[in-house]
Amino acid sequence: MFYYVSKVAWFFATPSNLLLSLILLGFVLTLFRRLRTFGIGFAFAMTVVTIGLGLLPIATYLMVPLEERFPPFQDDGKPVDGIVLLGGSVEASDSISQGQLIVNESAERLLETIQLAHRYPKARILISGGGGTVFGDGAREAPIIADYFRSIGIDPARIIVEDRSRTTSENATYSRDLVQPREGERWLLVTSAWHMPRAIGVFEKVGFAVTAYPVDFRTGGGSNNYHPFAFVSDGLRRLDVGTKEWAGLIGYYLTGRTNELFPSPHSSSAAVGSASR
C-alpha cells in the first residue's frame, strides 16, 4: 500500500506537475466572471514562479547537501566481496522494445559498476531492480542489465539478479535475503550520490552493511553551484529530483524504514561496528 500511495501522491506533488497544474487552474478561474481578474493574476504569478525555479539555482541548493553527504569512494586496498547496483539507470520497457540497452541520465551507475567488475574480478555483482510501474509489474530492470553484463564478457557466475524490488526499501530487504551477507564481508553500494543517504539508511535498517560508492553527481561544487540554468526544463528537472529525494527521506524516516532522517557516513560506520561486535 505504501508503494502505491507514494507513487500516486508524488505524481501530483512533483514540482513541475504541480506548477503546471496551478497555471492551468488560473486559466480555469478566468472562465468565471467574478474570478477572471484573480485567475489572470494567479496564472501570471505561477508562470513567473515556474520560470524562476527553472532558471535560478534554487534546485541545486536542494541537491548539494544530498550529494555531499557521502564523499566519493577512495580505494584503500581492502578486498571487495560484492557490488550492489541499484536500478534506475535503464529504461527497461524501451530496452526490450528496441532490442538494445537504453540508459537514462543515471547511466553512470551502470558504467561505474562495469569498471568495478574489472577492478575487483572476484567480487560478486548483485543487480537489484524490478518493475517500477504503478499498474502492473512492468519490465524488470535487473535481468536486462544482467544480460548486458554477460554480453560484454562478465562471468555469469558472478552475477546475482534481484528483480522483485520496486522501491529502495525493497532493494535492501530483497538483496539481503538473496545474498545473506556474512560478517566481515565488504559490499560496495552503487547508486546516485543524491540518492545515497536514503539508500544507506535502508540498508543499515535491514542489517546489510554496505560501503557507499556514490556516482552520478549532478552538482559541480564550489562556484558552479551558483550558476543559473540555461533552460527552464533543466532547473525543473533537478528540482523534481531533489524534492523527491528529500520527500523520500522524510517518508522513510516517518514510516520506520530508516533509523535517521538524514543518514551519514558516521552513522553508517557506527552501524557496521555494532553489527560486528
Side-chain angles (χ1 to χ4, degrees):
M1 181 60 69
F2 175 83
Y3 171 76
Y4 294 104
V5 171
S6 63
K7 289 293 184 181
V8 173
W10 179 245
F11 174 82
F12 292 103
T14 300
S16 57
N17 285 350
L18 180 60
L19 289 167
L20 178 60
S21 298
L22 291 175
I23 293 173
L24 293 176
L25 174 61
F27 285 116
V28 170
L29 293 177
T30 64
L31 300 177
F32 301 92
R33 182 179 303 175
R34 294 182 179 180
L35 298 175
R36 184 170 300 166
T37 301
F38 174 79
I40 293 174
F42 185 77
F44 177 77
M46 288 300 100
T47 300
V48 172
V49 170
T50 300
I51 294 173
L53 290 174
L55 294 178
L56 297 176
I58 296 172
T60 302
Y61 291 110
L62 284 176
M63 295 285 281
V64 167
L66 295 168
E67 295 199 336
E68 293 185 348
R69 195 62 166 174
F70 287 84
F73 176 78
Q74 300 294 328
D75 193 343
D76 53 11
K78 296 180 181 178
V80 172
D81 299 285
I83 303 161
V84 181
L85 167 61
L86 296 191
S89 59
V90 170
E91 301 299 333
S93 297
D94 291 339
S95 293
I96 290 177
S97 62
Q98 298 295 330
Q100 51 186 253
L101 193 70
I102 298 179
V103 297
N104 56 32
E105 58 189 342
S106 297
E108 207 171 319
R109 300 186 191 185
L110 186 71
L111 299 176
E112 286 293 324
T113 300
I114 294 173
Q115 290 193 27
L116 288 173
H118 292 295
R119 190 185 309 170
Y120 305 107
K122 295 183 179 180
R124 289 175 287 169
I125 305 168
L126 170 60
I127 307 167
S128 178
T133 58
V134 176
F135 302 104
D137 291 334
R140 300 175 188 270
E141 185 177 356
I144 295 173
I145 296 176
D147 287 341
Y148 178 73
F149 281 0
R150 297 183 191 104
S151 73
I152 61 174
I154 296 178
D155 184 359
R158 300 173 59 192
I159 300 173
I160 305 169
V161 175
E162 185 287 294
D163 62 355
R164 298 167 55 202
S165 59
R166 300 169 300 176
T167 65
T168 306
S169 180
E170 291 181 353
N171 284 145
T173 300
Y174 297 151
S175 294
R176 177 206 60 195
D177 295 344
L178 190 59
V179 301
Q180 293 292 312
R182 299 177 182 178
E183 182 177 327
E185 286 187 341
R186 189 185 203 188
W187 287 78
L188 302 183
L189 178 64
V190 181
T191 191
S192 300
W194 45 266
H195 181 56
M196 188 60 75
R198 182 156 59 109
I200 287 289
V202 295
F203 271 80
E204 288 174 4
K205 181 69 175 182
V206 302
F208 191 163
V210 290
T211 299
Y213 193 97
V215 299
D216 182 30
F217 288 84
R218 305 291 175 89
T219 60
S223 61
N224 290 330
N225 292 334
Y226 296 94
H227 293 170
F229 294 97
F231 301 97
V232 173
S233 58
D234 290 343
L236 292 179
R237 173 56 183 160
R238 185 171 294 182
L239 181 65
D240 287 347
V241 172
T243 304
K244 179 180 180 180
E245 200 54 38
W246 281 109
L249 283 166
I250 295 171
Y252 271 37
Y253 178 68
L254 293 179
T255 56
R257 287 169 170 79
T258 58
N259 291 324
E260 289 186 292
L261 177 61
F262 196 26
S264 66
H266 174 74
S267 62
S268 177
S269 298
V272 172
S274 62
S276 62
R277 285 196 293 270

